[in-house]
Amino acid sequence: MTLCTERIRTLDDIRAFLDGSEAADITPHGREAAYAFIERALVRFRYHLGLSRAGKGLVREFLAKVTGYSDSQLSRLIARQRRTGRIRDHRLRPPARPFATVYTTADAVLLAEVDEAFGQLSGPATKRILWRQYHVFGDERFKRPVGISNGHIYNLRGRRAYRSARTTFRATRGAISSIGKRRRPRPEGRPGFVRVDTVHSGDRDGEKGAYVINMIDEVTQFQQLAAVPRITEHFMVPVLAALVGAFPFRVLGFHADNGSEYINHRVAAMLNKLRVEEFTKSRPRRSNDNALVESKNGNVVRRWLGHSHIPEHLAPPANAFLRDFLSPSTITGPASSPSRSRSPTGAAVGSTPRNWS
């Protein structure tokens, strides 16, 4: 800040300003204006010409409060004003006696070419290559870097010219997971190949919303729905097991997208325990692999639950609605059995245990 210091000319004025009893007009400034203000204040209060120690401390406190500089920074500026009589910013100016540049930008680019050809070897090995290029093969481009030290090779590798010459671009590699087969299911007219997806009700005011699990058979269009507060293994595994067990036929295949709530070892172990033969997941850039359940997300889930936020604590009543009212009404075709009662987990009550062998 640049202070209008016309009214502050004595140490008593500084004391009044520091105590807050004296008003002052302050306007923004840059570094050069701050340096000029410090220089004028030191001259006005005769900082180096007989000012007492207490007065110097008062002036330093005044300068620190106005400029916001630290004690060490003010000490350097005051010492510079006493030594040269002026305070100037030398940051944007070149040094008065700069060090001589031995290795140029062309040498950094040449080193990048060598590293690209030989695979960026160690310092001693790279130095030997540079020596051979000049002394054995007679390449004049290596005349200057032939005597470079091992440590300075790494300094050249840190330059911007070197990094620009060595910039390479690679396509993003997807994470490889051994869980599930990456292909679309092939039911061939047989029921029991289900597709599953998760519908999130969104967040509001930092509070997470509930999740709706949508599971549908590809052939019979038999659909099961459930709601969970979170998509962790603690909630997902028992609900998925209940939904698989609620189908009136044996589930032969389980297909999901690449979400981690489905592609994990706990879900794979649960499907293996239920004797599900196929566990498949969608392929990259193949949006139709899970298109059936995606269409049901909008036609059924969003149609009945809407796009509104459902808080986590309302997941149990939402699950009761989906289990007792919405799931029976979404059963179509010969597999319909809306009169069958279900347990709170969603599995059929009183049904005969299935033989998965």
Side-chain angles (χ1 to χ4, degrees), residues 6 52 112 127 170 178 230 256 281 299 356:
E6 297 298 329
S52 64
K127 182 179 178 180
R170 297 180 180 177
S178 60
R230 301 176 186 175
K281 55 187 177 182
N299 191 32
W356 298 104

Side-chain angles (χ1 to χ4, degrees), residues 261-332:
E261 67 269 26
Y262 301 112
I263 310 302
N264 58 72
H265 293 283
R266 293 287 299 277
V267 174
M270 180 269 296
L271 296 177
N272 186 46
K273 183 178 181 180
L274 296 179
R275 302 295 191 271
V276 177
E277 298 176 357
E278 293 185 2
F279 185 12
T280 58
K281 55 187 177 182
S282 299
R283 299 168 292 176
R285 296 178 294 278
R286 296 292 191 277
S287 57
N288 288 335
D289 283 359
N290 215 24
L292 174 62
V293 69
E294 293 286 354
S295 65
K296 296 298 181 179
N297 289 342
N299 191 32
V300 176
V301 179
R302 294 301 186 186
R303 179 182 177 184
W304 289 95
L305 299 183
H307 297 266
S308 301
H309 170 73
I310 302 176
E312 290 184 1
H313 65 275
L314 294 181
N319 183 59
F321 168 75
L322 296 174
R323 180 189 67 240
D324 299 332
F325 298 98
L326 187 57
S327 290
S329 65
T330 58
I331 302 173
T332 58

Side-chain angles (χ1 to χ4, degrees), residues 157-175:
R157 286 173 176 172
R159 288 190 181 181
R160 182 180 302 177
Y162 177 90
R163 295 196 302 268
S164 300
R166 287 294 308 278
T167 300
T168 57
F169 298 93
R170 297 180 180 177
T172 304
R173 300 179 180 178

